[in-house]
Amino acid sequence: MKNVILIAAPAAGKGTEAALLKEQYNIPHISTGDILREKAKENSELGREIKSKIDNGEFVSDDLIIDILNMRVQKEDCNNGYILDGFPRNVNQAIAYQKMLDKIGINIGVVIVIDIDKNLAAKRSAGRVYCPKCKEVYSINTQEKKSKVDGICDKCGETLVKRADDNEETYMERYNKYIEKTSPLIDYYEKRGVVYHVNGNNGIASTHEQVVKILGE
Ligand code: AMP
């Protein structure tokens, strides 16, 4: 059983690495951002509230996200482990998550921190586009992640779109939130002896190689 928590600044490559791990280990990639972006499309008060929070780089409420997680990790496809991308996002969520795991008898697994320079992550955010259908992520400014045809998803032919929160101003908002709220989690998990650091500055293949060395075959 492989349970993996990925922690990194926004646009550092968590989603890309999670997708590779999903392929390699055949375990689900749980992105709370993707789940929330789907909910944000709903024409309801909750949908509109979530959309506004995401677009402004704010966090949605801990209670909502913990409910979503609780339901998701108890699905059958998580029996052999799962990759968490975007959760927990603060210490309060980590404490609630630990209570949830204790209750259902699941081990925390490993926490992988992808370290990256702030300017590089901001550049990746500025160049990021994604497929609204299959969620595959591409970059318009990184060779390793370019789509074969500009603006079109390699996998399903959909037109690629930009996330509303991938603009310079909102990126800074999200980055500052990461430093203030999410980075204390590294210390929280280091005290529990489950943290591994990888260097995310050298691209997708390098990051993945380091992660696989930690997780094993
Ligand atoms: P991401 O795709 O991980 O960059 O998340 C996009 C946005 O979804 C974030 O900026 C938050 O608004 C929201 N979000 C995702 N995960 C969480 C979480 N664990 N707690 C609170 N808000 C979240």
Side-chain angles (χ1 to χ4, degrees), residues 22 26-30 72 77-78 81-84:
K22 175 184 172 179
N26 200 21
I27 52 176
H29 164 196
I30 303 175
R72 183 64 189 88
D77 65 339
C78 290
Y82 48 85
I83 308 136
L84 288 181

Side-chain angles (χ1 to χ4, degrees), residues 2 17 21 24-25 110 112 196-198 205-217:
K2 278 185 208 305
E17 179 51 29
L21 293 176
Q24 178 138 359
Y25 297 108
V110 297
I112 294 184
Y196 296 84
H197 285 264
V198 300
S206 155
T207 303
H208 187 55
E209 195 184 318
Q210 296 170 70
V211 175
V212 170
K213 254 192 204 146
I214 295 162
L215 298 179
E217 289 309 317

Side-chain angles (χ1 to χ4, degrees), residues 6-64:
L6 295 175
I7 296 181
K14 289 190 298 292
T16 301
E17 179 51 29
L20 292 173
L21 293 176
K22 175 184 172 179
E23 281 286 306
Q24 178 138 359
Y25 297 108
N26 200 21
I27 52 176
H29 164 196
I30 303 175
S31 157
T32 44
D34 281 350
I35 296 171
L36 290 169
R37 276 184 286 279
E38 280 306 308
K39 285 199 179 293
K41 289 183 193 160
E42 286 168 17
N43 186 18
S44 65
E45 201 178 318
L46 181 63
R48 284 186 287 275
E49 191 187 316
I50 293 172
K51 182 173 180 336
S52 153
K53 292 244 181 318
I54 294 178
D55 289 356
N56 291 310
E58 292 165 22
F59 287 176
V60 306
S61 81
D62 288 348
D63 287 350
L64 172 67

